[in-house]
Amino acid sequence: MTIELLKYVGLAVEISVVSLLLVHLVKWKGVSSEFLAVLCFLIVQSLNLAIRPFIIDVISPIDKDIGRLSYYMGFAFINLVAVFILTELHDLLGVIKGACSVFVTRALQAMALTQVIRLVDRQMGVDYLGDFYSYGIPSVNIAIIMVCSFYTLRSKAVK
């Protein structure tokens, strides 16, 4: 039951971030820091949703250890690349990094670190972080949606 609930949370996060991106596009006033944060988070979420079934259904049945390594390090890599891209897009476009982008950057860094720690935890067989990981990652995703929603609605509000 918990796994099913977490799948719905992932889908809800994806729908929420797409909705936020649509708000940005409808209320377009140029490239903003919030827009860049939402766009990068959408890319991260989309890649995670696209890659997860391949790793779980194709790689893991063949070799469990390679599957774990691909899963945790792959998602950590995606998060860190998103942090790099978000930072570079701000510099390239001359956009000042706002609080929303700073939060998304820090959250993605924390999730990347969590992925690596969780891999070590699983490989050692101790599984201390099982519940923390199962609920922590979705919670961080929800927090990102809440922060992005707040800053998006604040910046796009009709005055």
Side-chain angles (χ1 to χ4, degrees):
M1 171 138 158
T2 302
I3 299 299
E4 289 300 316
L5 179 63
L6 293 176
K7 287 180 183 177
Y8 288 119
V9 168
L11 183 59
V13 166
E14 185 76 12
I15 291 168
S16 299
V17 76
V18 167
S19 300
L20 283 173
L21 188 64
L22 290 174
V23 168
H24 278 281
L25 295 174
V26 168
K27 296 283 191 173
W28 187 261
K29 295 179 184 174
V31 176
S32 65
S33 182
E34 293 84 14
F35 171 76
L36 295 175
V38 169
L39 181 63
C40 280
F41 187 60
L42 174 62
I43 292 168
V44 166
Q45 285 302 109
S46 298
L47 286 171
N48 287 346
L49 286 176
I51 293 170
R52 180 177 288 123
F54 177 74
I55 293 172
I56 291 173
D57 298 334
V58 176
I59 297 175
S60 291
I62 295 169
D63 188 328
K64 185 173 66 173
D65 289 332
I66 298 293
R68 280 185 187 160
L69 182 65
S70 301
Y71 187 89
Y72 294 112
M73 293 306 287
F75 294 144
F77 178 75
I78 289 169
N79 289 341
L80 292 177
V81 168
V83 166
F84 174 77
I85 289 171
L86 184 56
T87 302
E88 289 301 310
L89 281 174
H90 277 82
D91 293 343
L92 181 68
L93 300 172
V95 176
I96 296 171
K97 201 170 198 181
C100 180
S101 287
V102 170
F103 182 83
V104 170
T105 298
R106 297 288 186 256
L108 291 174
Q109 290 169 334
M111 284 196 294
L113 180 61
T114 302
Q115 298 283 1
V116 173
I117 293 171
R118 178 65 175 143
L119 173 64
V120 172
D121 179 55
R122 292 286 307 270
Q123 290 301 95
M124 290 176 51
V126 293
D127 200 28
Y128 290 134
L129 297 177
D131 287 337
F132 172 77
Y133 182 83
S134 293
Y135 298 105
I137 296 293
S139 297
V140 172
N141 286 336
I142 291 168
I144 290 173
I145 290 297
M146 292 172 65
V147 168
C148 287
S149 296
F150 172 77
Y151 283 105
T152 294
L153 295 175
R154 191 178 84 171
S155 71
K156 301 297 178 186
V158 178
K159 298 182 178 171

